[in-house]
Amino acid sequence: MKYALSMNVIPTYFIKWRSHLTIKKNRKKQMKLPIRLCSIISIVFLLVSCSAEDVDDTLSNTDKEFYIPKVKPIETEILEQINAYRSSLQLSFLQPSSTIKSQAYLHTMYMVESNTMSHDYFHTRRNYLVDSEGATKVGENVGYGYSSAAAVVDAWLKSEGHRRTIEGDFTHFDISVEQNSEGVLYFTNIFMKN
């Protein structure tokens, strides 16, 4: 079977195709003006709305996020017990750090609010300590549900992974202990070497 094209079909199709292109070109020209006008207005708005005050406000808000809560007796007990354990192994004493405490507090509040114990976003805390304190190594122990310093430290020491963190090659540490609405305690203990 052979196929044949009628010569009069081609010009009709071609004419329809060309008129379609002409309509498309006209639509593009009509669309370019509003797009250009919107672009110019956006650029002018950005130039007028940005200022040095906006940057200063952002910086001062960042400072407000660095919050160090008051030290609780249970937190002091935990830090003392960890240092006593390290001393019994001839390991160096760890120094408390307000920067670590602020990071531990933020994570503990996250666990309280989400009602779960986790190491979620550990990389964010680690990166913050690397950038702000020059940390070369960071570790973390978390817990919940313990009612005393002795209970949580004992549980960490009975767990191989937690014990390794406590015995690790660190120079600084701190802790945050916060309570949820039902009175359950959440713990975040962060260790750092710098």
Side-chain angles (χ1 to χ4, degrees), residues 122-184:
F122 172 72
H123 65 281
T124 304
R125 293 183 292 288
R126 183 189 60 78
N127 290 345
Y128 183 84
L129 293 171
V130 167
D131 293 343
S132 66
E133 298 295 313
T136 58
K137 183 178 178 183
V138 178
E140 175 180 86
N141 286 340
V142 296
Y144 85 102
Y146 299 98
S147 58
S148 69
V152 71
V153 172
D154 187 52
W156 284 336
L157 292 175
K158 287 180 180 174
S159 161
E160 185 180 338
H162 293 97
R163 186 177 61 251
R164 254 196 325 253
T165 301
I166 290 171
E167 295 173 357
D169 181 25
F170 297 107
T171 56
H172 295 80
F173 72 153
D174 223 307
I175 190 160
S176 173
V177 180
E178 299 301 326
Q179 192 175 78
N180 71 8
S181 59
E182 294 149 9
V184 177

Side-chain angles (χ1 to χ4, degrees), residues 56-194:
D56 292 340
D57 289 342
T58 303
L59 292 175
S60 64
N61 287 340
T62 303
D63 293 339
K64 292 175 188 173
E65 290 178 16
F66 188 82
Y67 174 72
I68 306 165
K70 184 179 175 187
V71 178
K72 299 171 188 70
I74 191 171
E75 294 170 336
T76 303
E77 289 175 45
I78 292 169
L79 298 179
E80 288 173 351
Q81 289 179 23
I82 289 173
N83 264 336
Y85 174 77
R86 287 177 59 89
S87 177
S88 74
L89 299 175
Q90 309 303 312
L91 297 171
S92 64
F93 270 35
L94 301 177
Q95 298 299 314
S97 162
S98 58
T99 306
I100 293 174
K101 181 152 189 74
S102 74
Q103 292 299 298
Y105 172 75
L106 289 172
H107 183 63
T108 305
M109 289 309 299
Y110 166 80
M111 291 192 302
V112 167
E113 290 167 7
S114 63
N115 198 31
T116 184
M117 183 182 68
S118 73
H119 290 284
D120 290 354
Y121 310 108
F122 172 72
H123 65 281
T124 304
R125 293 183 292 288
R126 183 189 60 78
N127 290 345
Y128 183 84
L129 293 171
V130 167
D131 293 343
S132 66
E133 298 295 313
T136 58
K137 183 178 178 183
V138 178
E140 175 180 86
N141 286 340
V142 296
Y144 85 102
Y146 299 98
S147 58
S148 69
V152 71
V153 172
D154 187 52
W156 284 336
L157 292 175
K158 287 180 180 174
S159 161
E160 185 180 338
H162 293 97
R163 186 177 61 251
R164 254 196 325 253
T165 301
I166 290 171
E167 295 173 357
D169 181 25
F170 297 107
T171 56
H172 295 80
F173 72 153
D174 223 307
I175 190 160
S176 173
V177 180
E178 299 301 326
Q179 192 175 78
N180 71 8
S181 59
E182 294 149 9
V184 177
L185 296 177
Y186 286 78
F187 305 81
T188 303
N189 190 195
I190 300 177
F191 300 78
M192 172 185 80
K193 179 180 182 176
N194 65 353

